[in-house]
Amino acid sequence: MAFATRRFVRAASSAAATAAAKKLIVKHVTVIGGGLMGAGIAQVAAASGHTVVLVDQSDEILKKSTKGIEESLKRVTKKKFADKPEAGAEFIEKTLKNLTTSTDAVAVVHSTDLVIEAIVENQEIKNELFKRLDKFAPEHTIFASNTSSLQITQLANSTTRQDRFGGLHFFNPVPMMKLVEVIKTPMTSQKTFESLVDFSKAVGKSPVSCKDTPGFIVNRLLVPYMMEAVRLFERGDASKEDIDVAMKLGAGYPMGPFELLDYVGLDTSKYIIDGWHSLEPNNPLFAPSPLLNKLVEEKKLGKKTGEGFYKYK
């Protein structure tokens, strides 16, 4: 009888462990935010066989997002299925079948394994979103933010699932860029972290891990580099054109720092450096730039406005 009891307990424990493990296999994904990043994340998740719901505030935004995803998929298939147009068409059809849209985030998180937030870089707005969704998402659901500059820990603290919260920082354009930074806070469980790494691999990306430090890996190195280029120009040490040429030909970079600033958006760059400066006001790497501030004040934000450090037709 004791043997039978032990065997029953072991079986029950094994079943419970198996059930717990299954909760970490991400099958259903909810992406909040239908902009370039959110749509890109939704695309790669759907293309890799995940059931995806893309959420934004209006049907109009979501129609634009879906159209962008369809166009992106066509570009992908031209390369991936150059000699097999029928296979390409089937790939697009399968991907789009995995993708639905909604304007009601609360309603769709009831049956999701992973929520990825890709909305505006605003701490309060993100916190409010996570706080609200935390009340309706299942206990096993993992929350992740695609933020590039905000602290994941502060976002996690707006929920009751700090152990099931991490960062998933994709890069633009998502379908093309292979990197994902997986961010682990001091509260993120190892099980959650491993699940986020596995998901990143499942969508065809190469994950790297980083602690919750400002800018993670890429932006922590990239933003100060761009800001130092601006300071070099501000001091009159070199022209912006020569700085760009020097870094392209001397370091092998595809863009110079001023070209990259205009591509990223000067307002975005200013927002990041201002946020870091408030966290570490004595860190010279995070010192604000008078020239960058002036251009943003004049609404010269880069390529998206037709003028930044350079003018665009």
Side-chain angles (χ1 to χ4, degrees):
M1 186 68 177
F3 172 76
T5 303
R6 285 198 300 271
R7 189 168 63 178
F8 172 78
V9 170
R10 283 199 300 270
S13 299
S14 176
T18 302
K22 285 183 178 178
K23 290 179 183 178
L24 293 175
I25 299 174
V26 176
K27 296 180 179 179
H28 304 281
V29 184
T30 299
V31 180
I32 312 291
L36 280 175
M37 293 304 296
I41 295 168
Q43 177 183 324
V44 297
S48 53
H50 297 83
T51 301
V52 182
V53 182
L54 180 60
V55 180
D56 212 305
Q57 295 176 325
S58 71
D59 288 323
E60 185 179 350
I61 294 173
L62 290 168
K63 284 179 182 177
K64 185 178 179 181
S65 302
T66 303
K67 184 178 179 182
I69 290 171
E70 290 177 3
E71 291 173 354
S72 177
L73 285 169
K74 288 176 183 176
R75 290 192 294 270
V76 169
T77 54
K78 279 185 180 179
K79 293 181 179 179
K80 191 174 181 179
F81 302 97
D83 301 325
K84 300 177 181 178
E86 290 183 2
E90 185 180 351
F91 170 73
I92 293 175
E93 184 182 357
K94 281 186 177 180
T95 300
L96 294 176
K97 276 186 178 180
N98 289 334
L99 177 67
T100 56
T101 61
S102 175
T103 56
D104 190 346
V106 167
V108 297
V109 297
H110 282 293
S111 58
T112 195
D113 300 317
L114 173 64
V115 173
I116 304 176
E117 168 273 315
I119 63 173
V120 63
E121 281 289 85
N122 181 292
Q123 182 84 50
E124 291 183 10
I125 295 175
K126 289 180 189 286
N127 280 346
E128 181 57 36
L129 172 70
F130 282 124
K131 183 178 180 180
R132 183 161 53 97
L133 297 184
D134 186 43
K135 299 174 183 176
F136 298 95
E139 185 180 347
H140 78 275
T141 303
I142 296 172
F143 282 9
S145 176
N146 183 60
T147 181
S148 60
S149 63
L150 300 176
Q151 285 190 312
I152 301 297
T153 301
Q154 290 188 6
L155 298 175
N157 284 337
S158 66
T159 74
T160 60
R161 62 184 74 217
Q162 289 95 335
D163 61 321
R164 286 150 287 153
F165 203 115
L168 274 180
H169 183 217
F170 289 79
F171 290 78
N172 187 37
V174 178
M176 303 299 296
M177 299 293 281
K178 297 293 290 183
L179 183 66
V180 173
E181 292 176 322
V182 182
I183 314 306
K184 186 178 182 181
T185 78
M187 302 95 73
T188 307
S189 72
Q190 184 63 21
K191 193 162 63 171
T192 295
F193 171 73
E194 290 174 2
S195 181
L196 291 174
V197 168
D198 288 347
F199 171 74
S200 302
K201 292 177 180 177
V203 298
K205 304 303 179 186
S206 298
V208 294
S209 63
C210 183
K211 291 181 179 180
D212 190 17
T213 185
F216 314 135
I217 299 174
V218 175
N219 283 336
R220 180 60 183 260
L221 297 175
L222 188 61
V223 174
Y225 150 73
M226 293 191 295
M227 293 302 297
E228 187 58 24
V230 176
R231 295 183 192 109
L232 194 69
F233 175 51
E234 284 178 318
R235 292 194 300 267
D237 294 339
S239 70
K240 59 181 182 292
E241 291 82 5
D242 281 351
I243 294 170
D244 276 351
V245 169
M247 294 311 297
K248 285 189 287 187
L249 300 185
Y253 292 176
M255 288 188 214
F258 293 97
E259 293 171 322
L260 185 55
L261 279 160
D262 279 355
Y263 178 78
V264 170
L266 304 193
D267 53 338
T268 301
S269 301
K270 172 178 162 53
Y271 181 86
I272 292 171
I273 208 67
D274 286 351
W276 293 358
H277 180 64
S278 67
L279 289 173
E280 299 181 30
N282 297 321
N283 190 333
L285 291 174
F286 301 158
S289 157
L291 177 56
L292 181 63
N293 291 345
K294 180 176 179 290
L295 289 171
V296 172
E297 188 177 340
E298 294 172 351
K299 306 298 182 186
K300 296 175 181 177
L301 309 181
K303 293 193 76 172
K304 61 186 174 185
T305 59
E307 185 175 357
F309 284 103
Y310 297 110
K311 290 185 178 180
Y312 303 88
K313 293 182 180 180

